[in-house]
């Protein structure tokens, strides 16, 4: 699979290398640990050691990513190749040191892949974690050298929400964020939640930007950010998604503060998404992210007609003003 992936990359680089400057090797690579089938196409056979399979697959992805970066630099001088994670810091539920340590461990789950892609080697904590889990990676003779040579040029990420975690099993049991969360977490009492239980935290985006830059000291790129919500067309066909506008406005403000006040080098911002589509996390049309409404329902009915939501016209002004006109 590594060779097949590198072959694909070569074809893409040769075809689009003069047109595309920014590349990403794998999308939300850390989702392999949370949703193995969707994140990496992993299907577990009965009786398999799931941890061994996940981490071995992760190693293959990391080697493939490094080889792609090296190839890109050879074929496209000046192009930038990045990695991509589903980001959002874990906050400790309380000031109890056990909660703080638990939150740190959860953050490390997300950083596992990026540490290797950005630094070129497995960190000590990752080696110990695999050792405790009984995981022994099968490596080719030159894998470590490949990882060291193929570090990424920037860190890209998706951000929808922050997360909160406790070391107390009772708090986890009684304050879980619910079944709609892809990554396990507990409810943060200081934040409001979307209709799917994802907690809305614009300041968390600024915190994430600072955390990632402090950790890796590489340029950053926000490649996904948005709000999944139920949109209801009016009789005249208009869709007044003021909640989405409010979400995006506050997150863009947090992003601008990170750039202008904190000095974070940010390559760009792209929202998720421009048009309604089936939600990857829940497999339904009802959870809409787009600024363009698609007439399609969970049961498959609908005409597929496209309609511009209020957020479409609002974001049009945001783009035209380069983020200066965020409205009120």
């Amino acid at each position: 699979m590594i060779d097949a992936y590198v072959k694909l990359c070569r074809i893409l680089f040769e075809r689009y290398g003069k047109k595309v400057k920014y590349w990403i090797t794998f999308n939300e690579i850390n989702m392999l640990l949370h949703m193995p089938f969707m994140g990496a196409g992993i299907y577990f056979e009965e009786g398999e050691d799931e941890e061994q399979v996940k981490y071995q697959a992760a190693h293959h992805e990391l080697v493939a990513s490094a080889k792609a970066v090296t190839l890109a630099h050879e074929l496209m001088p000046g192009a930038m190749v990045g990695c991509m994670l589903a980001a959002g810091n874990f906050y400790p539920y309380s000031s109890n040191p056990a909660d703080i340590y638990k939150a740190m461990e959860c953050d490390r789950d997300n950083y596992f892949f990026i540490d290797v892609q950005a630094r070129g080697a497995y960190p000590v904590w990752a080696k110990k974690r695999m050792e405790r889990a009984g995981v022994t990676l099968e490596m080719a003779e030159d894998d470590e050298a490949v990882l060291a040579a193929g570090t990424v040029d920037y860190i890209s990420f998706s951000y929808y929400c922050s997360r909160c975690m406790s070391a107390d099993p009772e708090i986890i049991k009684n304050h879980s964020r619910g079944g709609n969360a892809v990554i396990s977490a507990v409810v943060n009492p200081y934040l409001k939640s979307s209709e799917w239980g994802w907690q809305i935290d614009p300041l968390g985006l600024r915190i994430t930007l600072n955390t990632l830059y402090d950790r890796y000291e590489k340029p950053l790129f926000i490649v996904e950010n948005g709000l999944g919500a139920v949109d209801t067309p009016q009789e005249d066909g208009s869709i007044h998604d003021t909640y989405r506008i409010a979400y995006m406005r506050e997150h863009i403000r947090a992003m601008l503060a990170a750039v202008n006040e904190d000095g974070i080098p940010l390559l760009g911002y792209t929202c998720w998404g421009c048009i309604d589509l089936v939600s990857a996390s829940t497999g339904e049309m009802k959870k809409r992210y787009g600024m363009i409404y698609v007439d399609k329902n969970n049961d498959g009915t609908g005409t597929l007609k496209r309609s511009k939501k209020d957020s479409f016209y609002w974001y049009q002004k945001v783009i035209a003003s380069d983020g200066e006109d965020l409205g009120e």
Side-chain angles (χ1 to χ4, degrees):
M1 287 301 296
I2 294 174
D3 290 342
Y5 177 77
V6 174
K7 180 181 178 180
L8 170 65
C9 290
R10 178 178 290 276
I11 292 169
L12 293 172
F13 296 158
E14 290 176 346
R15 175 63 180 84
Y16 298 106
K18 293 182 180 179
K19 298 180 179 180
V20 179
K21 179 179 179 180
Y22 301 106
W23 299 80
I24 298 170
T25 56
F26 289 98
N27 179 65
E28 290 190 339
I29 191 169
N30 55 315
M31 293 309 296
L32 184 158
L33 299 180
H34 306 286
M35 302 176 74
F37 182 74
M38 192 187 80
I42 297 174
Y43 176 79
F44 297 110
E45 300 289 347
E46 186 175 349
E48 269 193 310
D49 183 336
E50 294 189 6
E51 292 300 296
Q52 174 68 37
V53 171
K54 285 192 292 186
Y55 282 99
Q56 186 65 56
H59 177 71
H60 293 155
E61 276 197 274
L62 292 169
V63 171
S65 175
K67 288 189 174 185
V69 171
T70 299
L71 179 64
H73 289 162
E74 291 174 1
L75 298 179
M76 303 179 298
M80 298 183 71
V81 186
C83 53
M84 198 280 212
L85 75 153
N89 281 43
F90 277 88
Y91 303 143
Y93 187 76
S94 73
S95 56
N96 183 334
D99 282 358
I100 294 171
Y101 189 83
K102 182 67 174 180
M104 181 188 75
E105 285 285 274
C106 290
D107 275 335
R108 279 177 163 175
D109 279 340
N110 283 340
Y111 299 143
F112 173 86
F113 300 88
I114 312 305
D115 278 1
V116 180
Q117 290 175 295
R119 296 170 173 169
Y122 286 97
V124 171
W125 65 264
K127 293 178 180 179
K128 294 301 292 185
R129 177 173 293 188
M130 288 187 284
E131 181 183 306
R132 289 194 299 271
V135 172
T136 302
L137 294 181
E138 294 181 14
M139 292 193 187
E141 187 175 339
D142 64 341
D143 278 1
E144 291 184 338
V146 168
L147 294 175
T151 55
V152 294
D153 303 310
Y154 67 93
I155 313 295
S156 72
F157 64 95
S158 61
Y159 179 87
Y160 296 98
C161 58
S162 60
R163 305 173 184 100
C164 191
M165 184 50 71
S166 171
D168 187 337
E170 285 301 309
I171 290 176
I172 294 174
K173 177 182 177 182
N174 297 321
H175 299 277
S176 172
R177 212 174 69 183
N180 289 313
V182 175
I183 300 175
S184 298
V186 297
V187 174
N188 186 331
Y190 296 97
L191 299 175
K192 295 180 180 179
S193 300
S194 74
E195 294 163 285
W196 274 264
W198 294 30
Q199 297 207 271
I200 299 171
D201 183 12
L203 181 56
L205 175 57
R206 185 176 181 180
I207 292 169
T208 297
L209 284 161
N210 276 274
T211 300
L212 289 173
Y213 188 68
D214 286 350
R215 191 178 186 95
Y216 300 116
E217 295 187 329
K218 291 178 181 283
L220 305 178
F221 201 136
I222 302 168
V223 294
E224 289 185 32
N225 173 238
L227 177 69
V230 176
D231 297 324
T232 305
Q234 305 301 304
E235 289 187 7
D236 64 358
S238 59
I239 299 115
H240 305 308
D241 56 339
T242 54
Y243 38 85
R244 182 169 291 106
I245 293 172
Y247 175 98
M248 294 183 68
R249 176 189 294 123
E250 294 309 310
H251 282 75
I252 291 172
R253 281 177 174 162
M255 171 189 71
L256 292 173
V259 172
N260 297 327
E261 298 177 32
D262 305 332
I264 300 300
L266 188 64
L267 297 174
Y269 169 93
T270 55
C271 63
W272 186 270
C274 295
I275 189 168
D276 288 344
L277 74 171
V278 176
S279 168
S281 60
T282 63
E284 58 186 334
M285 280 297 301
K286 185 179 180 182
K287 185 182 182 184
R288 299 174 182 273
Y289 285 90
M291 291 172 282
I292 298 173
Y293 185 89
V294 178
D295 180 26
K296 196 70 172 178
N297 304 307
N298 282 359
D299 62 6
T301 60
T303 64
L304 291 177
K305 178 184 176 182
R306 272 70 162 161
S307 306
K308 298 171 184 176
K309 307 176 189 178
D310 286 357
S311 58
F312 176 95
Y313 300 103
W314 171 81
Y315 197 55
Q316 202 172 40
K317 293 179 180 178
V318 174
I319 292 171
S321 67
D322 197 22
E324 293 295 323
D325 183 3
L326 295 176
E328 292 298 337

